Amino acid sequence: MAQGNSVSREHIGRRKAVPVIYLRGSHYEVGYDVGRNFASVIQSFLETFQGLKSFEKEYKTASGRNAYDKTLANMRQRYPHYVKEIQGIADGANVSFHQLFLLHMDDIIETVNENSASRYDRGGCSDIAFNTPANTVIGHTEDALMETLNHFYIMSAHVIPTPEDKEHGAVEERFASLCYAGQLPGYTMGFNENGLVFTINTLSPQNLKPGNTPRTFITRALLAARDPAEANNILLDQGLGIGNGFSTNMIWTNAKGERQLLNIEVAPDLKNDKSIINVQKYDSEPLMHCNAYLREQVQQVTGAIIDSSRARMKAIRQHLPPKSRSDIEEIISDTTYQEYPVFQTNVDAQIQTIAAGIFDMNASTWSIYIDKPNEAEPVAILPMRFIMLNKS
């Protein structure tokens, strides 16, 4: 190959690719097939992701191992079928289960020994949406540490639980979700065929609850939600509660075609065995959310994730309220603030926009972009089906 056309493993650039896999099987089986088909992507991510070294360091301490063991035991009791899913990914990709589980614990394991208010939290993501009689559209930037760039895929799954998994609460699921390499679907953006479309924003409470349910498990469970009330129960996680924090932006469609637009902020309850949830419905005004709590009074970390969130929210609010899909495309492509743009592609930035998604309810499509939506065509367009609505 000519030198000018060569691509090294160390620097392959921003690839214009959105891998999609279609799956049917039990929780373990869909996990295994994801792992087997994306083994090289998962292995590459584990080799290059610097945060894993920090997680491993904490895991080797007594308090870190205790938090890991307690969390795993609780998840085996509450969501054993999702633990099997992770085991399937590990077996299929020929990687360590414990490393994948550490990824799912994320900042919970990292803050066991030093719960610093100024920790450099991972993630980003910006959301803007509107719900009018004419249409409902949500735009989302998927922002993560730079190592995550090119290390993601989309799984479109029909999960058929085993009799054993059904005994532990598993239900039939049909969904599509973007996934970080080696991780459960849900903690990004996607939809299920019960009428739910949702996106996720990382939020960073200062005080976390090691041993409690990681947000990655709660957002995985959202993919099985059949209606808003069931989603709220999943978020509340009564009897245990979330260990860290996030926000979810939801569009619910019912069998009559009526739609609700919601944002729900979720935080650990430091006094009770449940999550704190703060629900806001949007009827006429647009939904806007980034990576700071807007309504729930939670002590948050300080630092880049909050500074970035405030800058991106300021940029979003400078636009007129969106009334069309093209308005959404323009807003999530905003680069007004050079240090913290809404769509981040600066090669020196630790946090990158790895992809963007636009869910257009009238078109029944989920469009995924690698470059700014106001300048590029989507790399992939997935149809959204809600065939389970009449079965719920």
Side-chain angles (χ1 to χ4, degrees):
M1 180 183 292
Q3 186 175 358
N5 294 327
S6 66
V7 177
S8 69
R9 181 175 179 181
E10 289 75 21
H11 184 67
I12 63 173
R14 179 179 287 266
R15 309 315 305 157
K16 310 297 190 291
V18 180
V20 183
I21 186 169
Y22 293 86
L23 306 143
R24 179 183 292 117
S26 68
H27 288 277
Y28 178 84
E29 288 170 335
V30 298
Y32 182 86
D33 285 326
V34 164
R36 185 177 69 86
N37 281 277
F38 294 115
S40 63
V41 176
I42 294 167
Q43 291 167 10
S44 171
F45 180 65
L46 293 179
E47 290 170 6
T48 58
F49 180 47
Q50 294 300 306
L52 183 57
K53 295 178 182 178
S54 174
F55 299 165
E56 291 271 26
K57 181 180 178 181
E58 298 298 333
Y59 173 75
K60 292 174 181 177
T61 68
S63 54
R65 183 58 187 266
N66 179 65
Y68 175 97
D69 290 342
K70 184 179 178 182
T71 305
L72 180 56
N74 282 335
M75 292 306 97
R76 280 182 168 150
Q77 183 174 12
R78 176 146 299 199
Y79 291 121
H81 39 294
Y82 298 148
V83 175
K84 289 180 183 178
E85 217 168 282
I86 299 172
Q87 186 66 63
I89 297 170
D91 292 347
N94 194 27
V95 298
S96 165
F97 171 87
H98 98 268
Q99 288 186 322
L100 296 189
F101 197 79
L102 286 172
L103 294 181
H104 288 84
M105 289 184 70
D106 195 17
D107 56 354
I108 296 176
I109 189 71
E110 194 170 38
T111 58
V112 166
N113 291 307
E114 185 180 357
N115 204 350
S116 171
S118 60
R119 66 181 188 261
Y120 192 94
D121 273 30
R122 291 162 181 79
C125 305
S126 306
D127 284 82
I128 178 73
F130 66 84
N131 182 24
T132 68
N135 199 2
T136 307
V137 179
I138 185 166
H140 172 80
T141 65
E142 190 62 44
D143 297 352
L145 281 170
M146 61 185 301
E147 297 100 321
T148 312
L149 190 67
N150 307 317
H151 290 96
F152 68 88
Y153 39 80
I154 289 172
M155 62 181 290
S156 178
H158 178 193
V159 182
I160 305 167
T162 64
E164 179 186 14
D165 291 339
K166 283 185 178 179
E167 289 180 6
H168 291 95
V171 298
E172 182 181 4
E173 301 180 56
R174 294 176 184 264
F175 63 81
S177 172
L178 187 143
C179 309
Y180 295 139
Q183 298 188 49
L184 291 170
Y187 192 62
T188 50
M189 55 178 159
F191 69 93
N192 74 20
E193 297 193 11
N194 298 310
L196 170 62
V197 170
F198 73 93
T199 65
I200 300 298
N201 308 120
T202 295
L203 298 179
S204 300
Q206 180 179 341
N207 298 307
L208 308 184
K209 295 182 74 174
N212 282 39
T213 308
R215 56 196 173 200
T216 45
F217 277 80
I218 288 181
T219 53
R220 172 64 186 88
L222 281 179
L223 288 167
R226 288 167 284 197
D227 54 51
E230 191 166 285
N232 280 3
N233 286 336
I234 290 167
L235 296 170
L236 272 173
D237 198 38
Q238 195 77 44
L240 194 58
I242 195 168
N244 42 8
F246 73 96
S247 160
T248 178
N249 311 286
M250 294 179 165
I251 300 170
W252 277 102
T253 300
N254 64 21
K256 298 178 181 178
E258 299 165 333
R259 299 169 187 151
Q260 294 184 58
L261 178 63
L262 307 166
N263 170 268
I264 306 178
E265 296 179 341
V266 188
D269 189 327
L270 302 179
K271 298 180 180 179
N272 300 288
D273 294 330
K274 63 179 181 62
S275 307
I276 296 170
I277 65 171
N278 186 309
V279 183
Q280 180 161 324
K281 184 177 179 182
Y282 295 81
D283 293 318
S284 55
E285 75 278 17
L287 181 159
M288 296 177 282
H289 212 286
C290 293
N291 303 108
Y293 287 94
L294 300 180
R295 301 179 306 278
E296 190 58 42
Q297 299 300 306
V298 176
Q299 186 176 4
Q300 303 180 78
V301 301
T302 58
I305 194 168
I306 303 301
D307 296 340
S308 171
S309 183
R310 288 171 179 163
R312 285 177 282 128
M313 285 293 289
K314 183 178 179 181
I316 290 170
R317 287 171 173 151
Q318 288 173 357
H319 290 262
L320 292 173
K323 297 181 179 179
S324 67
R325 173 177 173 150
S326 61
D327 292 341
I328 296 288
E329 291 174 357
E330 197 67 32
I331 294 170
I332 65 172
S333 302
D334 191 286
T335 56
T336 298
Y337 298 107
Q338 187 174 1
E339 185 177 8
Y340 298 123
V342 175
F343 200 99
Q344 175 64 272
T345 58
N346 187 331
V347 293
D348 297 324
Q350 283 194 293
I351 301 296
Q352 295 277 328
T353 300
I354 65 170
I358 294 182
F359 297 88
D360 186 324
M361 302 306 292
N362 279 4
S364 297
T365 57
W366 174 20
S367 300
I368 301 99
Y369 299 79
I370 302 300
D371 296 309
K372 292 190 289 186
N374 68 346
E375 296 179 356
E377 294 183 7
V379 176
I381 303 175
L382 275 67
M384 292 193 296
R385 305 182 306 165
F386 299 131
I387 64 172
M388 301 289 282
L389 275 178
N390 296 323
K391 300 179 182 179
S392 299

